[in-house]
Amino acid sequence: MLVAPVGMVVASGVVVAVLIGTISGAVEPLVLGDTGPVVRYGLVVNRVLHDLSAALAIGLLLVAAFLTPEARQTARRSTAAVAAAYCAGAWALTCVAGLVFTFSASSGLQLSDPGFWGELTRSAWDLEITRLILIELVMVALLCAFAAVARTRGQLAWAFTLAVATMWPVSFAGHGSSLVGHEQGMTGLLIHLIGVSLWVGGLLAIVILRPVLGTAMPVTLRRYSTIALACYVAVGGSGVLFALLQADDLGDLLSPYWLVLWLKVVALLVLGMFGYNQRRLLLERDTTRPGVFARLALTELGVMGAAVGLGVALSRTPPPVVEDITGGDPALPLTGFPTPEPFTMGKLLTAWEPMWLFLIPALLAVGLYLAAVRRLRRRGDAWPVGRTVLWVIGWAIFIYATCGAPGQYGKVMFSLHMVMHMALMMAVPIFLVPAAPVTLALRALKARTDKTLGPREVILAIVHSRWAAFFVNPLVAAVMFFGSLIAFYYTAWFEWSLSTHSGHVVMVVHFFLTGYTFVWALVGKDPGPPKWPAPLRLMVLIGTLAAHAFFGLALMSGTWLLAPTFFKTVDLPWVPDLLADQQLAGMIAWGIGELPTVVLAMMVTLDWLRSDERDATRHDRRADRDGDAELTAYNEQLAELARRGSDPRAR
Ligand code: HEM
């Protein structure tokens, strides 16, 4: 049962990649010199094995951690985990081979060159493309070890998360990283690779695990089918997002690169029909009848393998659009974006530079929230409109801060960077937290009854985890909130975040989460760690407010430039005085920072008043129920004290 499906996918992938690659130029010698057929074809064949072993490792962990229930006497999860460890091992081997082939292709050195191995060990880390493979190799090696021992749902879920996270360095290595707007390319490839891995890897895993899945097959397939549908949309959409970068004019649409792309579009349509057919046939018929399922799945896997092969051929086919990112614009090699037009106040309303990695999740968050509210409404449950409005406003501010003027100009100007920072850390969470997304999700999502981790169970596990208890503790959240400001601006972290894509992404995610946990700790209504009494929360807030003001003042009065190399290299003609722009950032931090904090203080105070009211109501209800036994007891106590006081013998 193992050999046929894996053999089918690998064979169709390799054959298509080599055949199409030979036609499209993917295996042609590079400008640096011909490093020989072993390297040229090795790169393509190895990449197919790489993508498929990664997909299968992710697919097996998906099935084990989230899709299939475990019954007495079955070893479904451990079987899947062990198989995933083997796949991760294969994945690691393809990383090693990829490292050797990529270094040869990038350096122009042949494998047989006497100095090749010495040069490889000396400079593999210095070269960005081989450094990314080394980072991936370390993550995959960790995954291999972890999958070998992971047995509980929680452990398997963490192994799955690590496997998916490994797609991050992989997505940096595609054609996308060398282009203007490389953020769009890398985000497109990241979503593409994750979508393909869950989709292809999930189906392949179910086919391989069928003997151990047994009676759990129908439920596993039903759950996979929902994920497959989402992946179908994600793969198609992200492929188009990436492909759009590769068409400057209509002529490009007939280039070898695009001819491979058109084949991929056809592959996606064919797979769409398969998916629809499988969904209809499999969900209607008895899926345990081996013939039905095996025939459909094997054919579908064959087409999937071919599509992966096309993807690999495409990733090595010279693209029609080649842009010189060193063309004299100093910001381009650093930020991946061209220097924007001179800043004017009007730009605050008109500037737009989509950061897809932030735009897509923001739109998804709004879409899922509205879908959940609709589900509640449909079943006759109410949900406050105010919360929905807050949620939408919160994400609108998030999109403006990351893709509007603060996002675009914040990449090269300290002052606008601070507007983005303050919006992410303070303004956005103040709208999102009161929208109570966790409460809504728990009410809208169905609970699983077979001890598997569905979306609802994952959310519950996160909000009740020790991590949440630690980070949503008001004191820890406050230290993270203020400490991040100092750690970020007064260390190399700031320069790293300005001059690398990863740094920029880590910065945005960090600021957002730090702000969100801080506001959640103070005024969150969602289930989670127990709340501190309101007066204590208010004190934490006032302390943070003061520290924040101190930070703003320090920046305003600072006399030395932060991230000097970056700002001097970018050298914006319309920012003649960098220190003045930095001091303006200090003013913004202080100014923008204070307003949300005052709003937070009012929310905590309101919470305080309400909790007093609740206490009073609770007390009154109890008094009504027990004839105010507490007061009676108290009066009796007072009377007893009085009696003793008046009794000279008690003295
Ligand atoms: C509308 C359909 C699709 C479009 C427009 C599309 C587009 C793309 C693009 C532009 C790339 C990046 C190539 C580069 O680095 O220049 C890519 C890579 C890839 N695609 Fe697709 N794709 C589509 C469907 C699929 C399907 C259906 C699969 C498999 C089931 C697939 C698997 C892959 C893989 C595995 C890669 C990465 C290859 C690598 O670098 O390892 N794609 N695709």
Side-chain angles (χ1 to χ4, degrees):
M1 192 62 202
L2 174 71
V3 180
V6 173
M8 158 74 79
V9 186
V10 171
S12 61
V14 169
V15 170
V16 169
V18 171
L19 269 183
I20 299 293
T22 310
I23 302 165
S24 72
V27 290
E28 287 303 307
L30 297 173
V31 273
L32 268 176
D34 186 0
T35 48
V38 175
V39 171
R40 287 188 279 116
Y41 285 91
L43 272 167
V44 171
V45 174
N46 182 62
R47 189 69 187 190
V48 174
L49 299 175
H50 168 277
D51 290 357
L52 290 174
S53 53
L56 188 49
I58 290 173
L60 286 160
L61 290 168
L62 170 76
V63 172
F66 304 107
L67 303 187
T68 201
E70 188 76 277
R72 263 181 223 288
Q73 315 304 335
T74 61
R76 297 173 185 139
R77 289 199 188 118
S78 56
T79 312
V82 171
Y86 279 111
C87 290
W91 182 358
L93 288 177
T94 64
C95 286
V96 175
L99 182 73
V100 175
F101 291 144
T102 306
F103 184 75
S104 170
S106 316
S107 64
L109 290 171
Q110 304 235 358
L111 300 183
S112 53
D113 276 9
F116 176 80
W117 298 102
E119 197 51 43
L120 173 67
T121 30
R122 252 193 313 281
S123 40
W125 184 258
D126 305 334
L127 211 60
E128 190 184 6
I129 192 152
T130 44
R131 181 168 62 238
L132 288 167
I133 299 175
L134 284 171
I135 294 170
E136 182 193 354
L137 180 56
V138 171
M139 291 174 82
V140 176
L142 273 177
L143 174 69
C144 182
F146 189 27
V149 293
R151 290 295 174 269
T152 67
R153 289 173 307 167
Q155 291 164 348
L156 290 164
W158 277 112
F160 172 81
T161 310
L162 173 59
V164 170
T166 311
M167 286 299 146
W168 179 263
V170 181
S171 67
F172 273 51
H175 277 138
S177 57
S178 59
L179 276 175
V180 172
H182 73 178
E183 192 279 334
Q184 181 174 337
M186 281 196 278
T187 304
L189 191 57
L190 180 69
I191 298 171
H192 207 64
L193 289 170
I194 294 175
V196 168
S197 302
L198 292 172
W199 186 20
V200 178
L203 182 61
L204 193 51
I206 291 173
V207 172
I208 290 172
L209 291 173
R210 213 177 68 73
V212 289
L213 292 180
T215 53
M217 188 67 168
V219 67
T220 307
L221 262 179
R222 239 192 335 275
R223 288 172 181 161
Y224 164 74
S225 176
T226 313
I227 294 173
L229 186 60
C231 291
Y232 185 81
V233 176
V235 167
S238 59
V240 171
L241 184 70
F242 191 124
L244 290 177
L245 289 170
Q246 292 296 351
D248 262 358
D249 55 50
L250 282 182
D252 290 339
L253 302 183
L254 293 173
S255 64
Y257 186 90
W258 269 89
L259 293 179
V260 181
L261 258 175
W262 293 124
L263 284 176
K264 295 194 73 177
V265 175
V266 174
L268 188 80
L269 296 175
V270 171
L271 286 168
M273 287 188 303
F274 264 105
Y276 171 75
N277 207 359
Q278 196 176 86
R279 228 176 137 77
R280 196 170 52 75
L281 285 178
L282 286 171
L283 295 179
E284 282 159 7
R285 290 202 191 160
D286 175 359
T287 51
T288 53
R289 263 177 55 212
V292 176
F293 176 71
R295 217 181 17 259
L296 271 163
L298 277 184
T299 331
E300 187 174 357
L301 284 168
V303 179
M304 281 176 164
V308 169
L310 286 172
V312 170
L314 191 64
S315 68
R316 300 215 52 83
T317 299
V321 178
V322 179
E323 284 166 16
D324 174 15
I325 66 168
T326 59
D329 180 340
L332 204 46
L334 288 171
T335 67
F337 291 88
T339 303
E341 293 166 4
F343 179 75
T344 61
M345 291 315 272
K347 294 284 181 203
L348 285 175
L349 298 176
T350 57
W352 174 256
E353 189 171 68
M355 289 289 285
W356 294 94
L357 195 63
F358 306 130
L359 184 58
I360 293 170
L363 296 175
L364 263 180
V366 171
L368 289 172
Y369 193 98
L370 296 177
V373 171
R374 196 156 147 261
R375 183 181 277 190
L376 254 61
R377 288 268 157 81
R378 279 232 172 122
R379 69 170 195 237
D381 292 348
W383 183 258
V385 179
R387 286 185 176 174
T388 310
V389 173
L390 286 173
W391 186 255
V392 174
I393 295 175
W395 285 111
I397 299 173
F398 179 90
I399 291 174
Y400 175 72
T402 51
C403 305
Q408 181 175 21
Y409 285 89
K411 292 190 188 79
V412 287
M413 285 173 75
F414 203 147
S415 49
L416 268 293
H417 161 91
M418 193 53 79
V419 175
M420 177 181 65
H421 176 170
M422 288 302 124
L424 288 172
M425 210 165 170
M426 307 199 75
V428 172
I430 279 200
F431 287 90
L432 295 186
V433 170
V438 175
T439 311
L440 176 65
L442 295 180
R443 287 182 56 191
L445 292 166
K446 282 203 198 77
R448 292 252 183 109
T449 52
D450 57 2
K451 296 203 181 78
T452 52
L453 282 178
R456 191 174 192 283
E457 289 71 26
V458 170
I459 293 173
L460 275 173
I462 292 173
V463 294
H464 293 304
S465 68
R466 264 171 290 167
W467 295 95
F470 177 74
F471 284 107
V472 189
N473 169 302
L475 214 52
V476 174
V479 170
M480 287 291 291
F481 188 91
F482 174 65
S484 306
L485 295 174
I486 306 301
F488 180 77
Y489 287 103
Y490 293 97
T491 66
W493 187 1
F494 185 30
E495 189 120 26
W496 176 61
S497 80
L498 289 167
S499 42
T500 65
H501 180 58
S502 297
H504 184 79
V505 173
V506 169
M507 171 195 71
V508 170
V509 173
H510 176 82
F511 287 154
F512 174 70
L513 289 180
T514 312
Y516 194 96
T517 45
F518 182 61
V519 176
W520 183 12
L522 294 178
V523 293
K525 293 273 173 290
D526 275 328
K531 278 264 167 309
W532 281 25
L536 282 182
R537 283 182 273 150
L538 212 50
M539 279 161 65
V540 168
L541 179 61
I542 290 164
T544 316
L545 181 76
H548 192 266
F550 165 76
F551 165 74
L553 282 174
L555 217 51
M556 273 164 67
S557 53
T559 52
W560 82 92
L561 203 54
L562 302 176
T565 323
F566 175 84
F567 286 115
K568 286 185 180 147
T569 312
V570 167
D571 187 25
L572 298 172
W574 71 86
V575 183
D577 185 344
L578 291 172
L579 197 58
D581 189 54
Q582 176 175 311
Q583 289 162 347
L584 175 59
M587 245 186 268
I588 291 169
W590 193 23
I592 292 189
E594 298 321 308
L595 182 62
T597 319
V598 172
V599 173
L600 261 180
M602 284 156 61
M603 288 162 85
V604 176
T605 314
L606 209 63
D607 210 21
W608 190 355
L609 294 173
R610 284 209 189 111
S611 72
D612 279 359
E613 271 167 28
R614 273 196 305 274
D615 289 351
T617 323
R618 216 188 356 259
H619 182 268
D620 294 349
R621 265 204 222 108
R622 197 175 50 232
D624 293 345
R625 261 200 321 274
D626 63 10
D628 209 343
E630 194 183 332
L631 186 63
T632 319
Y634 180 67
N635 288 340
E636 278 167 11
Q637 205 184 0
L638 286 180
E640 173 62 22
L641 285 174
R643 192 184 54 72
R644 282 207 211 130
S646 60
D647 181 347
R649 283 171 302 153
R651 287 202 197 95

